[in-house]
Amino acid sequence: HNHDILNYCTASNKHIRTYDNVTYSYKMHDCWTLVSGHCAEDPEYAVFVKRDNHRQMALMVFIGGHKVEILPSSSSRYDIAVDGGEAFDISKDDTYYYPSQTVVANGDHA
């Protein structure tokens, strides 16, 4: 993948690839597991993953004082909840903009 950033990590149900390009075998659990975070007294972000009831990966991110949960609803759709609000459905190809709460289909512009 070309991510246009210097370092990135990836997580799947079977592997974790770290920022320094080391890959580990990993069996994802059904409880939230920290996979990336800002290690400071006042952290700027934290990313958690878990396996949901359908063996897909769910994601919870704390960033900018907000909590964002991304839960798979099918193989190509997700339920998104921000700060504990009501979840809404989005396609894997859509883009969600916050705080405007605008959903833009792939290829369209906000």
Side-chain angles (χ1 to χ4, degrees):
H1 296 346
N2 180 5
H3 293 280
D4 294 330
I5 54 178
L6 296 176
N7 292 318
Y8 63 94
C9 67
T10 58
S12 72
N13 284 322
K14 297 182 181 181
H15 298 96
I16 297 282
R17 181 194 169 277
T18 64
Y19 288 110
D20 56 353
N21 201 25
V22 177
T23 301
Y24 297 95
S25 295
Y26 176 70
K27 181 179 179 189
M28 190 171 296
H29 304 282
D30 59 358
C31 59
W32 292 112
T33 302
L34 178 69
V35 293
S36 182
H38 179 223
C39 297
E41 187 174 317
D42 187 20
E44 295 180 13
Y45 78 95
V47 179
F48 296 83
V49 296
K50 75 174 182 176
R51 186 183 71 226
D52 74 355
N53 296 337
H54 304 287
R55 305 186 64 79
Q56 296 184 53
M57 185 171 45
L59 184 72
M60 180 170 53
V61 179
F62 292 90
I63 190 164
H66 299 284
K67 174 184 174 183
V68 180
E69 290 183 83
I70 304 170
L71 308 171
S73 57
S74 72
S75 63
S76 63
R77 301 201 66 82
Y78 298 89
D79 289 329
I80 310 291
V82 179
D83 295 330
E86 187 173 336
F88 60 91
D89 179 71
I90 189 171
S91 165
K92 70 178 183 80
D93 297 321
D94 292 343
T95 301
Y96 174 71
Y97 292 93
Y98 184 86
S100 68
Q101 300 182 7
T102 305
V103 176
V104 178
N106 187 28
D108 292 342
H109 300 285

